[in-house]
Amino acid sequence: MVKSVYFNHDAGVDDLVSLLMLLESPEIELIGVGDVPADSYLEPGVAASQKIINRFGTNKQLTVAASTAKTNDPFPKEWRMDSFTVDALPILNEFGTGDVQVASKPAHLDLVDKLLAATEPVTLLFTGPLSDLAAALDVNPAIEAKIARLYWMGGTFGGGNIAEPEQDNTAEWNAFWDPQAVKRVWDTQIEIDMVALESTHQVPLTNADRLRWAKQRQFVGLDFIGQGYAIVPTLTHFETNSTYFLWDVLTTAHMLNPTLTKTKVVNCDVITTGQSRGRTFVTPTGRPVNFVYDVDHDAFFEFLETVIKRAK
Ligand code: AGV
Ligand code: CA
């Protein structure tokens, strides 16, 4: 049973849609939000998160913590620029950031504080790189005992999704951005549910999805996600490197409603250096994770829309 949730994301369109889902899920309590500037820039990512909480959340004490994580392998600038567009949407700027504050500490220390203060184990949802969790574990390894489970969008056991020089396209982007962080987290006893690329491939963004949401603009939540998903490319004639999937939204939905997905235990590890850095791979000597390998496409979209329609 998921109760207290700490959400760390990287402010892509689907990360921010995931934030709205969490705010509209009364069965959980969102106790903290961290933002890492991986698939985004930090200022618009933090600001958009504050605005979403202010516009749709009930707890205006919820803060957004900014990450200090760095990478040698940044996301393409074109994708990162989307965070400025979401942050500029009128639907978010109408009420702005309001009283929702930026946390006083960087994201990894905010995570440590929130975990130490928690009276029950906390569920972690990470929809970007694992950098802040790895840094938090380095600062205070004892936080491990306060973590109920980690849900992570990242990794792949098939092909990668990276079109950059000097790598072999065997990795998924969130793992590639900070492979050492994956290794650090793998080196714990934390129960991990991993939504890798395999299941996300079953939920591409299509024009049919956009049209369905457009027809229901009277629901403010569907209007908001329609605006967000208007700035990223759908799957039309064929898949390109920029084709958008509902990667993080699936991870969030899996956490909230595990009947949507199929999971099996897989032992795996990660490569941290060289051309294959960030590649996750199955090996008998690896650590066990609950690998989400299948999703019921229609039930997933129905669940997403039911949750998003609650927004007022
Ligand atoms: O690799 C998937 C991760 C997810 O957390 N992100 C996007 C999701 O937020 C990186 C990514 C892969 N392909 C992309 C991505 C694309 N075509 N556009 C934007 N981001
Ligand atoms: Ca993401």
Side-chain angles (χ1 to χ4, degrees):
M1 196 33 221
V2 174
K3 276 197 182 147
S4 288
V5 175
Y6 190 105
F7 180 39
N8 183 290
H9 69 77
D10 67 339
V13 170
D14 64 335
D15 297 83
L16 295 168
V17 172
S18 298
L19 175 57
L20 177 57
M21 284 182 85
L22 295 172
L23 294 172
E24 300 302 335
S25 298
E27 68 271 33
I28 62 136
E29 188 198 355
L30 191 55
I31 64 161
V33 176
D35 178 14
V36 57
D39 202 358
S40 57
Y41 288 90
L42 193 59
E43 282 185 24
V46 168
S49 304
Q50 289 173 275
K51 292 171 188 178
I52 291 168
I53 294 166
N54 183 49
R55 175 67 183 78
F56 299 106
T58 47
N59 175 14
K60 312 289 193 237
Q61 305 299 317
L62 190 60
T63 56
V64 181
S67 179
T68 51
K70 297 277 182 294
T71 189
N72 294 321
D73 286 302
F75 275 88
K77 184 175 183 176
E78 302 78 62
W79 298 354
R80 299 181 71 194
M81 291 300 290
D82 289 343
S83 54
F84 285 97
T85 307
V86 176
D87 183 45
L89 290 176
I91 197 166
L92 294 186
N93 276 336
E94 184 180 6
F95 300 104
T97 56
D99 293 329
V100 177
Q101 301 293 313
V102 177
S104 57
K105 293 191 185 174
H108 66 294
L109 298 179
D110 182 65
L111 177 59
V112 171
D113 284 358
K114 295 273 162 54
L115 287 172
L116 293 179
T119 53
E120 59 172 39
V122 175
T123 299
L124 304 183
L125 173 63
F126 273 63
T127 58
L130 291 172
S131 314
D132 288 321
L133 177 54
L137 287 162
D138 283 344
V139 167
N140 188 344
I143 59 170
E144 188 178 331
K146 304 298 284 285
I147 299 171
R149 193 184 284 240
L150 165 67
Y151 292 85
W152 181 47
M153 193 284 125
T156 171
F157 300 122
N161 64 356
I162 299 165
E164 295 283 321
E166 301 183 321
Q167 57 87 37
D168 62 8
N169 193 27
T170 54
E172 178 280 332
W173 261 109
N174 290 339
F176 182 68
W177 200 85
D178 191 350
Q180 291 291 348
V182 181
K183 190 75 172 171
R184 178 67 184 86
V185 171
W186 255 231
D187 193 23
T188 65
Q189 304 296 314
I190 301 168
E191 175 106 24
I192 298 176
D193 277 29
M194 175 170 158
V195 176
L197 292 180
E198 284 78 355
S199 57
T200 67
H201 251 105
Q202 296 175 257
V203 288
L205 176 68
T206 66
N207 284 319
D209 301 320
R210 278 186 176 158
L211 287 179
R212 201 172 57 252
W213 298 332
K215 299 279 183 214
Q216 301 174 82
R217 277 186 59 214
Q218 74 271 24
F219 294 97
V220 67
L222 288 179
D223 193 19
F224 168 66
I225 76 166
Q227 312 282 345
Y229 280 121
I231 67 180
V232 294
T234 54
L235 178 63
T236 33
H237 304 297
F238 62 97
E239 187 184 328
T240 74
N241 183 247
S242 284
T243 301
Y244 220 80
F245 295 83
L246 277 79
W247 304 275
D248 301 349
V249 175
L250 173 59
T251 310
T252 308
H254 163 70
M255 180 188 81
L256 294 168
N257 182 358
T259 68
L260 301 170
T261 47
K262 288 190 191 138
T263 302
K264 64 184 172 196
V265 176
V266 159
N267 290 288
C268 59
D269 203 347
V270 62
I271 295 172
T272 54
T273 57
Q275 304 286 305
S276 307
R277 63 195 180 284
R279 177 183 168 205
T280 45
F281 62 100
V282 177
T283 165
T285 56
R287 71 104 76 201
V289 302
N290 306 307
F291 166 53
V292 175
Y293 66 94
D294 186 64
V295 54
D296 180 335
H297 172 280
D298 292 355
F300 161 72
F301 275 92
E302 202 176 302
F303 179 75
L304 164 64
E305 289 162 26
T306 301
V307 173
I308 295 295
K309 278 182 188 174
R310 293 181 192 138
K312 293 264 162 16

